[in-house]
Amino acid sequence: MEFLGTSQTASYCGPKKACAFRALPPAGPAPETQECYQPYSLPGYRYLKSWRPSLFYKVSNAQTCVDERATGRSPLRPPTILPALRSALFCRYSPRDWDKSNDLQMRGAEASRLWASRLTGDSMRLMQDKDELTRQMQEGTCRNLGQRLSDIGFWKSELGYELERLLNETHSMETVKRRLECAAEELNCPLQVALECLYHREKRIGIDLVHDNVEKNLIQEVDLLKCCQEHMRKLAQRIDIQMRDNRDAQHALERDLEDKSSAQFIDEKCYNLRNTSDCITFFHGMEKVDGTVSVPETWAKFSNDNIRHSQNMRANSIRLREEAENLLETLSDQMWKQFTNTNLAFSARISEVTDVKNKLQTQLAKTLQEIFQAENTIMLLERSIMAKECPLKVAQTRLECRTWRPNVELCRDIPQFKLVNEVFTIDDTLQTLRLRLRETQDTLQLLEHSV
C-alpha cells in the first residue's frame, strides 16, 4: 500500500537511524487530528478496552537525525516528499497494535460465542421447562373440567329424580283434589232428598205432626251432609295452596336443571378443545374478567337447597293426601251410619203407624159388632167407609206424586212398597166394610123382618 505524496524510498520507510532527541520546534499550533479508524466491537464491548495506536503518541516525540540537520538532505536517498496533511501519519498502526486488536477481537468473539452457547442452552432448557409446564397445566385443566362435568352430571341426576317424584306427587294431589270436589258435589243429592223428606213431613195433620225419631234423624243427616261438604271444600282449598307451592318448587328444579344442562354443554365444549382445534383464538384480557357469582360450596348448596325444598313440599303433600283419605273414609262411615239410622227410624215409624191404624180398625169393627142396633151399625159402617176414602186418596196421591221424582230418584224403595201395600189394604178394608154393611143391612132387614 502506498500513500499519496510518498514513495517506497521515503525516509520513514527505510531502516531506522540514530537520531538525537530534540523537541519540536515552537511552531504554530499543530493541526487537529481526528481518529479515522474505529475498531468493530460487539455491543457492550466498545468501551471496555479502548486503545489508540502507539504511533500516534510517538509522532509528538519524533527525533531528527543529526546528519540531516547538518547537511539538510542525505545524498544516499531521494528527497523526502512529505504529505500536505500531517494527520495522515497519525492513522498508522504498529504490528503490536494489530496483534493486540486481533487478540481482543478473538477474545471478544470467544466470549460472545460462549455467551451465545450458554444462552442457547438456557433457552432450550427454558423452552422444554415451559412446554412441560404448559402441558401439565393443560392436563390439569382437562382433569378439573372432567371432574366438573362429573359433578354437574351427579346434580343433574339428583335434580331429575327429585323433579320426577315431585311431578308424580303433584299428579296424585290433583287426583285427590278432584275426588274431594266430586264427593262434595255428590252430597247435594242426599242432602236434597233429606230436605224433601222434611218438607213433606210438614204436611202431616193434627196429632200426626209429631217431632219423632224420623224427624230428628233427618235433621241430623242434613247437618252432617252440610258439615261434610264444608270439610271437603276446606281441604280441597288447602290442597290447591299446596299444589301452588309444589309448582314453585317444580319451577325452581326445572330452572336449575336447565342451567345445569347449559353449563354441561359449555364445559363439554371446553373439555373437547385441543391445540389443533379450529375454533380457538386469542381473547386478550379474559383472564382479568371475573364474572363468577358463586363458589363450588355455594353452587352445590344451591342445588341441595332446591332438592330439600322439593322434599319438604312432597312431605307436606303426602300428609295432605293421607288426611284427605282419612277424611273421606271417616265421613263416608258417618254418612252411611246416619243414613242407616234414618232408614231404621222410617221403618220403625211406619210400623208403628200401621199397627195403630190396624188396632183402630179392629177396635171399630168390634165396636160395630157390639152395637145391637142396626141403624147405628149401618151409620157407623157408612162413616167408616167414608173415613177410608181419605187415606186411600192420600196413599194414591203419594204414589202419584212420587212418580214425578227425577232420574235415578225414581226408586222402588221401602216407602213405595208401603204405599202400595197401604192402597191395597185400604181397598180391601173398604170391600170388607161394604160387605159388612150389606150384611148388617141384611141382618137389619132380617131383624126388622124378624121383628
Side-chain angles (χ1 to χ4, degrees):
M1 182 177 179
E2 187 174 315
F3 290 97
L4 183 61
T6 62
S7 62
Q8 292 295 333
T9 58
S11 60
Y12 53 82
C13 294
K16 186 176 181 180
K17 297 181 179 180
C19 298
F21 176 78
R22 72 177 182 88
L24 291 174
E32 294 181 359
T33 58
Q34 296 181 355
E35 184 177 302
C36 60
Y37 172 78
Q38 293 183 357
Y40 171 78
S41 61
L42 294 173
Y45 290 89
R46 181 177 181 87
Y47 302 102
L48 291 179
K49 295 181 180 180
S50 60
W51 53 275
R52 292 175 180 269
S54 60
L55 186 60
F56 176 79
Y57 301 100
K58 291 180 180 180
V59 171
S60 62
N61 297 325
Q63 298 180 359
T64 307
C65 296
V66 180
D67 295 337
E68 294 179 352
R69 187 180 54 192
T71 58
R73 290 185 181 178
S74 175
L76 300 178
R77 57 184 179 181
T80 302
I81 302 175
L82 295 177
L85 296 176
R86 297 181 61 189
S87 61
L89 296 178
F90 301 151
C91 296
R92 298 296 182 269
Y93 299 97
S94 66
R96 181 184 175 191
D97 295 334
W98 180 77
D99 293 336
K100 187 177 181 180
S101 176
N102 290 334
D103 184 56
L104 288 175
Q105 289 184 358
M106 286 187 291
R107 282 188 291 179
E110 182 69 18
S112 300
R113 187 181 60 81
L114 293 176
W115 180 80
S117 178
R118 287 194 301 268
L119 184 62
T120 301
D122 292 341
S123 299
M124 295 300 294
R125 286 191 298 271
L126 180 63
M127 288 188 293
Q128 292 175 358
D129 294 341
K130 296 304 179 181
D131 289 344
E132 182 66 20
L133 178 62
T134 303
R135 185 183 62 80
Q136 291 178 358
M137 292 182 65
Q138 195 174 52
E139 291 178 355
T141 303
C142 290
R143 286 193 300 269
N144 294 333
L145 285 174
Q147 183 64 34
R148 181 66 174 178
L149 289 173
S150 300
D151 295 341
I152 293 175
F154 169 76
W155 284 112
K156 276 188 64 179
S157 62
E158 291 294 326
L159 290 170
Y161 178 70
E162 183 61 30
L163 179 61
E164 181 179 0
R165 297 183 66 183
L166 183 61
L167 290 175
N168 293 334
E169 185 61 32
T170 303
H171 180 71
S172 301
M173 290 288 288
E174 291 178 355
T175 303
V176 172
K177 180 185 175 183
R178 285 196 298 269
R179 285 182 59 189
L180 289 172
E181 292 175 349
C182 292
E185 292 296 329
E186 289 175 356
L187 290 180
N188 290 328
C189 293
L191 180 61
Q192 186 66 26
V193 171
L195 292 174
E196 287 290 334
C197 290
L198 289 173
Y199 173 74
H200 286 296
R201 284 179 63 84
E202 292 296 325
K203 298 178 181 180
R204 293 175 295 173
I205 301 173
I207 195 63
D208 290 331
L209 192 62
V210 62
H211 185 66
D212 52 4
N213 290 330
V214 176
E215 188 170 356
K216 293 178 181 178
N217 282 281
L218 284 173
I219 293 174
Q220 291 179 1
E221 184 175 355
V222 170
D223 294 338
L224 179 62
L225 291 174
K226 291 182 178 179
C227 182
C228 291
Q229 281 184 333
E230 186 67 20
H231 282 298
M232 290 179 182
R233 285 166 182 165
K234 286 183 178 179
L235 187 57
Q237 291 177 357
R238 290 173 57 193
I239 290 175
D240 186 61
I241 295 173
Q242 183 60 43
M243 288 176 62
R244 288 200 295 268
D245 295 338
N246 289 355
R247 284 192 289 270
D248 292 338
Q250 175 187 345
H251 293 161
L253 290 175
E254 290 176 347
R255 185 170 56 253
D256 193 4
L257 192 60
E258 183 179 359
D259 293 342
K260 291 286 188 297
S261 299
S262 300
Q264 186 179 25
F265 174 77
I266 294 172
D267 285 345
E268 284 181 352
K269 180 180 179 181
C270 295
Y271 180 78
N272 293 325
L273 286 177
R274 295 295 182 268
N275 296 331
T276 57
S277 300
D278 295 334
C279 57
I280 59 176
T281 184
F282 287 107
F283 293 94
H284 296 290
M286 291 302 299
E287 67 279 0
K288 300 178 182 178
V289 177
D290 188 7
T292 58
V293 296
S294 65
V295 295
E297 290 77 12
T298 58
W299 174 78
K301 184 178 181 298
F302 179 77
S303 298
N304 192 25
D305 291 342
N306 288 335
I307 293 175
R308 287 185 180 275
H309 180 64
S310 175
Q311 291 175 349
N312 292 333
M313 294 300 102
R314 285 196 299 107
N316 295 337
S317 299
I318 291 173
R319 284 195 294 269
L320 281 178
R321 284 197 300 109
E322 292 177 353
E323 184 179 351
E325 294 292 340
N326 295 332
L327 180 65
L328 288 173
E329 185 177 357
T330 302
L331 296 181
S332 177
D333 293 339
Q334 292 178 358
M335 288 186 294
W336 179 255
K337 183 179 179 180
Q338 184 62 41
F339 176 75
T340 304
N341 293 336
T342 303
N343 288 339
L344 291 176
F346 265 112
S347 299
R349 184 61 179 171
I350 291 171
S351 179
E352 290 176 0
V353 172
T354 304
D355 291 341
V356 171
K357 183 179 179 180
N358 291 333
K359 287 179 182 180
L360 290 173
Q361 289 177 351
T362 302
Q363 188 65 31
L364 180 59
K366 288 180 180 181
T367 302
L368 291 175
Q369 289 178 2
E370 291 179 356
I371 296 175
F372 296 101
Q373 296 179 2
E375 294 178 355
N376 292 333
T377 303
I378 292 172
M379 183 180 60
L380 293 174
L381 288 173
E382 290 176 353
R383 289 179 180 178
S384 177
I385 291 171
M386 292 177 64
K388 300 301 180 294
E389 292 177 357
C390 291
L392 180 60
K393 291 178 181 179
V394 170
Q396 290 179 350
T397 302
R398 287 179 176 177
L399 287 174
E400 196 274 338
C401 289
R402 286 174 64 85
T403 58
W404 291 94
R405 291 177 293 172
N407 299 327
V408 73
E409 297 300 325
L410 195 64
C411 178
R412 278 183 82 86
D413 50 1
I414 294 176
Q416 183 74 16
F417 286 107
K418 294 297 181 179
L419 287 172
V420 173
N421 188 18
E422 183 179 355
V423 171
F424 283 107
T425 302
I426 293 174
D427 287 336
D428 184 69
T429 302
L430 288 174
Q431 292 176 4
T432 302
L433 291 176
R434 290 190 183 107
L435 179 62
R436 183 62 56 86
L437 178 60
R438 286 193 299 269
E439 290 176 356
T440 304
Q441 289 176 353
D442 292 341
T443 302
L444 179 57
Q445 289 177 2
L446 288 175
L447 290 173
E448 288 178 351
H449 288 298
S450 306
V451 176

